[in-house]
Amino acid sequence: MSTTTTIETISKPNVGVFTNPEHKLWVEESKPNLDSLKKGNSEDLPEGYVTVAIKSTGICGSDIHFWHAGAIGPMVVTDNHILGHESSGVVLATHPSVTHLTPGDRVAIEPGLICNNCEPCLTGRYNGCEKMQFLSTPPVDGLLRRYVNHPAKWCHKIGNMSYENGALLEPLSVALAGMERSGVKLGDSVLICGAGPIGLITLLCCQAAGACPIVITDVDANRLSYATKLCPRAKTHKVDTSLSPSDCASAIISTFGDSKPRIALECTGVETSIATAIHSVKFGGKVFVIGVGKPDMSVPFMRLSTQEIDLQFQYRYCNTWPRAIRLVQEGVIRMEGLVTHRFDIEDSVRAFETSGDVKSGAVKVMIQ
């Protein structure tokens, strides 16, 4: 039996936030249970693992979708399932094999566990791991718990960064992956479709990258108002859902000053929004889809073809966390304004109801 090194008393029950195929949402005791956490048995803390007390977890749109719809594409909730994948916390215990982390270290948790053997892993694009276990994606339970055991290699030190910013490193990683793959450069004109959390963090990244002009769109005027607070030089455009994608694109181009953007970063995954982005960009431009949408869609193929527009996609992220940490620590990206609501984990049902209600004004809801 291996031993652990501990730093603080583990006393509160390890509760988690669950959903199921009947779309219920509730809080109850989860694994690892309190007794196993106190004992630190080897079967509960395997080689290379640490125990982390979760301090902040952001609610993602995918969490709401798994609760409401029970599935995202082929990823289906088939049993009681723990949500959450945007988390940070403090290390409580370490397996003796772990040397780079010690109890008391503040860490952000990267939620994807990979095989390290398939081609995507071996070529450095581990987000495409053929045996990926991504926490919160069924059937792999998520991080919305009080305590978790997690591989130390995927626990990134955050120093004195706030736990909320540590949790926001996950959506920042999504945005950074989009920035890198889309190739946004200094002086590029950029359209951002969607002013939800991912769209707003993407806006912060475009601002830091020197993109100009930037136009961000949404159907919600309040979200657009929030966007201008985060990035005052960004122009906003409220989408008129009664317009066709091509007419909506014409209105967006007018917001740009009758100049078409070179790149559109589509952060909603909505079919009409993707089509609008395709009609908006210039000849030789690019539409980069960060958002997640329905399994099958129609796109304006001939517009893409005759205008030589690249349509590109991303799936999560890889190798982004160290860069995300540096950007936040150096103050290049400031995400404090994104959190609008905070709840204790025992009040998680109300937290999810708030996050899923567009009338609540919620941008990012944090569970503590």
Side-chain angles (χ1 to χ4, degrees), residues 310-329:
D310 294 334
L311 180 60
Q312 194 175 0
F313 302 85
Q314 84 176 67
Y315 187 54
R316 297 175 180 151
Y317 41 73
C318 63
N319 305 307
T320 54
W321 291 71
R323 189 150 42 105
I325 291 168
R326 292 195 301 271
L327 288 167
V328 175
Q329 287 179 332

Side-chain angles (χ1 to χ4, degrees), residues 70-260:
I72 298 176
M75 299 166 282
V76 181
V77 176
T78 59
D79 203 345
N80 292 351
H81 178 66
I82 300 174
L83 297 164
H85 59 268
E86 303 176 2
S87 297
S88 69
V90 60
V91 175
L92 296 185
T94 63
H95 186 275
S97 60
V98 176
T99 58
H100 72 287
L101 291 176
T102 58
D105 284 340
R106 300 160 74 97
V107 294
I109 300 177
E110 187 168 352
L113 308 184
I114 63 175
C115 74
N116 285 304
N117 290 316
C118 65
E119 181 177 341
C121 286
L122 295 176
T123 56
R125 298 183 66 181
Y126 61 79
N127 54 317
C129 174
E130 296 167 4
K131 296 181 180 179
M132 171 70 77
Q133 292 184 303
F134 194 89
L135 276 67
S136 82
T137 296
V140 185
D141 281 333
L143 293 169
L144 250 174
R145 291 176 261 181
R146 184 168 277 132
Y147 308 109
V148 298
N149 294 332
H150 199 72
K153 68 182 293 183
W154 301 117
C155 294
H156 302 276
K157 287 185 183 181
I158 59 173
N160 63 358
M161 185 187 300
S162 73
Y163 289 121
E164 285 190 350
N165 273 344
L168 289 168
L169 293 172
E170 200 280 340
L172 175 56
S173 284
V174 174
L176 289 178
M179 294 292 289
E180 182 173 2
R181 282 176 50 77
S182 66
V184 173
K185 301 189 298 293
L186 187 72
D188 275 342
S189 54
V190 176
L191 168 65
I192 300 171
C193 302
I198 295 296
L200 292 173
I201 295 177
T202 299
L203 172 64
L204 292 174
C205 290
C206 286
Q207 174 180 239
C212 63
I214 305 169
V215 171
I216 185 166
T217 70
D218 204 277
V219 296
D220 187 332
N222 290 329
R223 290 249 168 138
L224 294 176
S225 176
Y226 215 85
T228 57
K229 293 176 183 177
L230 292 174
C231 178
R233 68 179 177 84
K235 299 178 181 179
T236 62
H237 181 90
K238 187 174 183 298
V239 173
D240 183 346
T241 56
S242 69
L243 297 178
S244 67
S246 59
D247 287 342
C248 187
S250 296
I252 290 170
I253 292 166
S254 294
T255 303
F256 270 99
D258 293 324
S259 175
K260 297 176 181 177

Side-chain angles (χ1 to χ4, degrees), residues 1-6 39-51 91-103 149-152:
M1 178 182 294
S2 64
T3 60
T4 62
T5 303
T6 60
K39 292 176 183 177
N41 293 331
S42 59
E43 62 268 23
D44 295 310
L45 194 55
E47 183 175 354
Y49 273 64
V50 297
T51 298
V91 175
L92 296 185
T94 63
H95 186 275
S97 60
V98 176
T99 58
H100 72 287
L101 291 176
T102 58
N149 294 332
H150 199 72

Side-chain angles (χ1 to χ4, degrees), residues 178 181-184 189-193 249 260-291 297 299-300 303-305 307-314:
R181 282 176 50 77
S182 66
V184 173
S189 54
V190 176
L191 168 65
I192 300 171
C193 302
K260 297 176 181 177
R262 189 181 82 83
I263 296 177
L265 299 172
E266 210 297 313
C267 300
T268 73
V270 175
E271 182 174 343
T272 53
S273 182
I274 295 171
T276 297
I278 292 169
H279 282 288
S280 297
V281 297
K282 64 173 61 177
F283 182 91
K286 177 182 288 188
V287 173
F288 189 88
V289 183
I290 298 173
M297 297 187 188
V299 297
R303 167 73 183 177
L304 289 166
S305 177
Q307 296 298 300
E308 291 192 359
I309 295 168
D310 294 334
L311 180 60
Q312 194 175 0
F313 302 85
Q314 84 176 67

